[in-house]
Amino acid sequence: MDVVSAGPSVDWEDMPAPKLPDYLVDVYTWAYVAPNMVELLDREVVVATILWLQQNKLMRAARDEITPGCRVLQPAAVYGKLVSHLAEKVGPEGEYHVTDIQQVQIDHVNRKIAQLPQTRTGICDARVTGDGLYDVVNSYFLLHEVPDDYKRDIANNLASHVRPGGKLMFVDYHEPAFLHPMRPIIWLVFKWLEPFAKALWSHELWDYVDDRDQFEWRKETIFGGLYQKVVGVRKA
């Protein structure tokens, strides 16, 4: 992939702090909003349990799409080692921008990567991520956590920040094989804890992108179809 210049500045500092959406407060306070839970849940053993020991494979799947020196946007802080690993892959000649809608998450991710000069973080809604084009826009386990109207708004916003030849990447849940031993367990987890996730069992991720025809898409599934990586390369 050719490396591009930074392009227009990303004026996150000029954006008003967004109001936390009702779905986030109602459904995910325990996981992402309460500061004490952020520290408790961001542990490798927790991430490994939630992802059925597939966390390293999924992280490598995302990392493989990134070239040293490129410019990357990630529109959500995530638990585990992903942010530090991707920032290191980008390297000091690149840029790695992480946004989140919550100050507690930005403060937490800063403790992990702020010492790296290629990183920048800011508070903003994933539906409005400022200006500029990127070589890779990485939506990592984000869309399954938002209602369908947010899924579409987020996907379209992220797509608009991919430069020609750049990549829009989604790593997220997928409908597992019918006889997958985890299928009934995941179904119950979605029913109780992840009410917006099951939509990904019946929708292709590129269907949320209105100008999907401007991308060349590829998809791979992981761990018996429970997870997926979908990459769209914007046509020149």
Side-chain angles (χ1 to χ4, degrees), residues 60-234:
R60 286 195 300 270
R63 186 182 167 98
D64 286 347
E65 302 296 334
I66 291 172
T67 302
C70 71
R71 191 169 194 249
V72 177
L73 170 65
Q74 183 175 309
V78 298
Y79 294 152
K81 299 176 181 178
L82 179 81
V83 291
S84 57
H85 279 242
L86 295 192
E88 289 167 1
K89 180 69 180 285
V90 168
E93 301 303 317
E95 297 180 41
Y96 181 54
H97 296 172
V98 179
T99 67
D100 202 280
I101 200 169
Q102 300 179 81
Q103 185 68 54
V104 65
Q105 291 291 338
I106 290 300
D107 290 344
H108 187 68
V109 79
N110 278 337
R111 288 192 285 272
K112 295 195 281 188
I113 62 171
Q115 77 281 5
L116 299 173
Q118 65 268 36
T119 64
R120 183 180 175 192
T121 61
I123 299 175
C124 67
D125 192 315
R127 298 173 297 176
V128 186
T129 47
D131 298 324
L133 298 178
Y134 292 84
D135 298 290
V136 181
V137 177
N138 174 36
S139 172
Y140 194 86
F141 284 92
L142 172 60
L143 288 194
H144 80 276
E145 294 186 333
V146 301
D148 268 10
D149 56 337
Y150 275 74
K151 286 179 172 62
R152 185 167 299 280
D153 289 346
I154 289 170
N156 280 304
N157 175 58
L158 299 183
S160 73
H161 292 288
V162 179
R163 72 164 181 85
K167 300 174 182 177
L168 174 59
M169 173 169 57
F170 300 98
V171 178
D172 221 310
Y173 285 105
H174 183 269
E175 182 177 13
F178 184 72
L179 296 179
H180 197 299
M182 299 299 179
R183 185 182 178 106
I185 299 172
I186 293 297
W187 189 91
L188 290 173
V189 169
F190 286 178
K191 182 177 178 62
W192 293 337
L193 298 176
E194 301 275 12
F196 313 116
K198 201 164 182 291
L200 300 188
W201 287 20
S202 55
H203 294 86
E204 296 287 3
L205 289 173
W206 53 68
D207 287 339
Y208 293 108
V209 180
D210 290 344
D211 67 343
R212 66 185 72 88
D213 292 342
Q214 298 303 308
F215 292 81
E216 296 284 351
W217 296 97
R218 53 184 164 87
K219 170 183 172 180
E220 65 179 271
T221 58
I222 299 165
F223 194 48
L226 182 55
Y227 307 109
Q228 62 182 314
K229 178 175 78 171
V230 173
V231 178
V233 179
R234 182 175 283 282

